[in-house]
Amino acid sequence: MKKSLFLYLFIVSILMTVFTYMYYDKKVKFEAERFDKLKKTMHDSIQMMNNQVFEANYFTLLNNDNAQNQLDNYSIEKLIEKIERKLMEMNDLPDGNPMVEFIKMNDKKFIINKIKVINHRWVIADFSNGDLWGEVLLQYFVEENEELTFKIIQSTLYTKS
């Protein structure tokens, strides 16, 4: 009786070992397949995001070789920084930024929030006064003494919804 009990226990332990091995083997394969699918999905998502960033940055001075050739005497990064700094400094004026065509409304001045240098001649900027928002397209010129001058081409003010 003692021998048969040990035999049954031995058989049960072997069966449990086999089932446990099969379970973990299938689990590892399942996890590996799931990881590969996730890795492929992430790679596709990253590629899609890179394409979107490339498309969004198509109209920038940094990616426009023809516009950069027009400014070959200047460091493009420094010029962009200088344009942004000059436009942001104009925000400190008491009546708001003069590159925004709109006057103060409710004692709130319009200031430029974001700037994007499109090419060797144009800048687009987002502006607001806290209640109203708009955009302005500016033309800029780099003078011989490296001073910047701006000219408003068009601006728009969004209405409140």
Side-chain angles (χ1 to χ4, degrees):
M1 171 126 159
K2 204 174 193 184
K3 282 184 177 182
S4 33
L5 180 65
F6 283 126
L7 180 65
Y8 289 132
L9 287 174
F10 180 71
I11 292 173
V12 168
S13 67
I14 288 177
L15 286 174
M16 287 183 63
T17 304
V18 168
F19 286 131
T20 304
Y21 172 76
M22 291 175 58
Y23 169 77
Y24 282 111
D25 186 47
K26 287 186 180 186
K27 182 179 178 185
V28 167
K29 286 180 185 176
F30 174 76
E31 291 294 329
E33 289 173 7
R34 194 168 121 204
F35 176 73
D36 288 341
K37 286 180 185 176
L38 182 64
K39 184 177 167 183
K40 183 179 182 324
T41 304
M42 290 296 147
H43 179 70
D44 292 346
S45 297
I46 290 170
Q47 186 63 37
M48 186 177 72
M49 295 300 278
N50 283 340
N51 290 342
Q52 286 177 346
V53 167
F54 180 76
E55 285 295 319
N57 286 329
Y58 180 78
F59 288 107
T60 63
L61 181 58
L62 289 174
N63 291 332
N64 189 335
D65 291 334
N66 294 327
Q68 288 180 9
N69 290 337
Q70 299 295 316
L71 299 168
D72 57 355
N73 297 337
Y74 303 99
S75 166
I76 301 302
E77 291 83 13
K78 288 181 182 177
L79 180 63
I80 291 172
E81 183 182 319
K82 186 176 182 178
I83 291 168
E84 290 174 348
R85 187 176 53 248
K86 175 112 177 174
L87 285 171
M88 288 301 201
E89 285 173 358
M90 291 183 196
N91 285 342
D92 296 333
L93 298 174
D95 289 332
N97 197 311
M99 294 298 108
V100 178
E101 295 181 300
F102 303 100
I103 59 171
K104 281 183 170 181
M105 292 185 183
N106 301 329
D107 291 330
K108 294 182 180 179
K109 64 182 182 178
F110 283 98
I111 59 171
I112 290 179
N113 302 313
K114 291 186 182 181
I115 301 162
K116 187 165 196 165
V117 180
I118 298 173
N119 59 23
H120 69 289
R121 203 46 81 214
W122 297 332
V123 174
I124 190 165
D126 172 74
F127 64 86
S128 75
N129 71 350
D131 292 331
L132 300 170
W133 286 265
E135 293 169 352
V136 61
L137 183 63
L138 302 170
Q139 189 172 20
Y140 72 94
F141 302 95
V142 182
E143 305 298 332
E144 288 184 19
N145 60 359
E146 296 194 15
E147 281 297 312
L148 293 170
T149 58
F150 297 95
K151 177 183 168 190
I152 299 170
I153 296 175
Q154 183 79 37
S155 64
T156 184
L157 187 64
Y158 298 111
T159 58
K160 281 187 173 182
S161 300

